[in-house]
Amino acid sequence: RLKPFNRLQVILQHLKMSKHTDSTAEVLLEKRGGAGIITLNRPKALNALNLSMIQQIYPQIKTWEQDPETFLIIIKGTGGKAFCAGGDIRAITDAGKVEDRLAQDFFREEYTLNNAIGTCKKPYVALIDGITMGGGVGLSVHGHFRVATEKTLFAMPETAIGLFPDVGGGYFLPRLSGKIGYYLALTGFRLKGRDVLKAGIATHFVESEKLPALENDLIALKSPSAENIADLLNSYHVKSKVDQEKEFVLDEHMEKINSLFSANSMEEIVKKLKQDGSPFAIKQLETINKMSPTSLKITLRQLREGASMSLQDVLTMEYRLSQACMRGHDFYEGVRAVLIDKDHSPRWKPAALEEVSDEFVDNCFKPLGNNDLKL
């Protein structure tokens, strides 16, 4: 048998080893050269973000922010399919049904992390290779640099599950050019590859296979400034030729998107789409008709208000909305229809836009007193 001291040494050695080489950890945090690297490591779950990952990432970002030897932060996902497909919705649903604290804690801590990324003093580089939706957008879009690849698939599909495009969606979506953000938020439309850059969500485009080289070059930079990092990213961006000639997928529809989605209410948007009657408008109507009427109304107001708010105020507002959704019906029904039973025929309550009163929507935006998110 080992002597107590030796046994402790073995345990410590094992802990030390497992910390660095444990491929089962849900998130890997390491320092290489001047870079802090966050690797989302749940490939089977498409790197979906859960509470324990958030609780590991947040303090690490805060530590690196203060560390004079850390010059930038890189975040990426494993498995080749996804950067991060979203938040761990199943866990939140289960918790919300039994009024477990997780339904409060998850959103509170996730939005606090989104804010930490948005206010991070060190350049923050998100390599959004593969599926990047919902919570994955929150981990990337508020940072300084977002590098898309030909494999990037971006969407904010929350209105289909009785939620709203959160994680600061009320901040970045209305700031995209024209009414693209409103269109993406209400319809859940998916952008792919270079279109993620053209829409203004990514800052750079680099071929997926070049990412390891880019990462090594970022790590090798000696005491870089934000400008040095931008120059390096630009040099990769300029060389990438994939889909360079293709025009933006929404180009031909931009005029319609800008006029149809500039209405003041969901009812008016629907009316405009009906009046327009073009194949594009009819397709959008079909999509919108599948979404939660409550979510659509909340989302439109969230974006209209968020357009002139700070990120902090938007996240505070979104936390109120998240808790309203946890108290409601549609979120649980949407998750059932899309993720659990997968019958894709949710029974929304109320079932029509006209039945969602202004008073109900107002209530979703009301402050929560001591339970408000404090940033």
Side-chain angles (χ1 to χ4, degrees), residues 101-357:
R101 276 199 62 88
L102 175 70
Q104 293 168 31
D105 296 345
F106 181 87
F107 291 105
R108 190 184 296 277
E109 299 197 30
E110 183 182 27
Y111 297 176
T112 304
L113 172 57
N114 299 149
N115 184 54
I117 292 166
T119 56
C120 188
K121 293 180 184 70
K122 300 283 165 85
Y124 182 96
V125 183
L127 305 177
I128 54 171
D129 189 31
I131 301 165
T132 305
M133 296 187 185
V137 176
L139 288 176
S140 53
V141 78
H142 304 297
H144 307 85
F145 303 109
R146 289 90 64 189
V147 182
T149 74
E150 73 280 5
K151 296 191 332 197
T152 305
L153 177 63
F154 165 95
M156 293 299 276
E158 288 82 3
T159 54
I161 57 163
L163 213 52
F164 58 95
D166 64 337
V167 298
Y171 181 80
F172 84 88
L173 288 163
R175 284 168 172 77
L176 299 177
S177 67
K179 294 291 173 185
I180 288 183
Y182 290 79
Y183 171 68
L184 295 172
L186 296 168
T187 66
F189 184 80
R190 296 173 167 206
L191 292 170
K192 297 183 181 121
R194 213 177 264 273
D195 287 333
V196 179
L197 171 80
K198 290 178 178 162
I201 291 149
T203 56
H204 296 80
F205 180 89
V206 174
E207 276 93 344
S208 184
E209 63 180 46
K210 299 268 177 21
L211 290 183
L214 171 61
E215 194 182 325
N216 286 334
D217 285 351
L218 284 167
I219 290 163
L221 290 171
K222 296 277 176 269
S223 322
S225 64
E227 287 74 26
N228 302 145
I229 293 163
D231 289 344
L232 177 60
L233 291 169
N234 290 337
S235 72
Y236 270 82
H237 174 79
V238 172
K239 287 185 205 134
S240 81
K241 300 285 179 261
V242 173
D243 294 339
Q244 211 177 16
E245 307 308 312
K246 270 188 164 162
E247 65 166 50
F248 180 45
V249 66
L250 295 174
D251 249 358
E252 55 178 315
H253 306 301
M254 270 328 294
E255 214 175 303
K256 279 201 193 307
I257 287 172
N258 291 341
S259 70
L260 298 169
F261 287 85
S262 62
N264 296 332
S265 71
M266 269 319 299
E267 286 90 341
E268 209 181 317
I269 289 175
V270 167
K271 192 173 138 197
K272 281 183 150 191
L273 287 166
K274 281 180 179 159
Q275 282 169 346
D276 183 280
S278 64
F280 175 75
I282 289 162
K283 203 173 164 194
Q284 305 323 309
L285 259 182
E286 282 171 9
T287 302
I288 283 171
N289 281 332
K290 292 184 183 132
M291 305 306 188
S292 154
T294 302
S295 289
L296 290 168
K297 285 208 167 173
I298 286 175
T299 298
L300 182 59
R301 176 156 163 197
Q302 169 207 1
L303 267 55
R304 287 172 62 86
E305 296 203 1
S308 58
M309 290 163 108
S310 67
L311 176 61
Q312 290 70 38
D313 288 344
V314 165
L315 290 165
T316 302
M317 164 178 77
E318 290 180 356
Y319 183 72
R320 292 166 185 168
L321 296 176
S322 77
Q323 298 311 293
C325 290
M326 293 302 106
R327 295 191 300 269
H329 163 273
D330 280 7
F331 172 62
Y332 303 101
E333 174 58 14
V335 171
R336 179 205 66 72
V338 174
L339 297 175
I340 299 172
D341 298 340
K342 298 188 168 120
D343 58 19
H344 293 278
S345 42
R347 291 178 287 279
W348 305 123
K349 280 183 199 162
L353 286 169
E354 295 72 27
E355 294 166 26
V356 183
S357 71

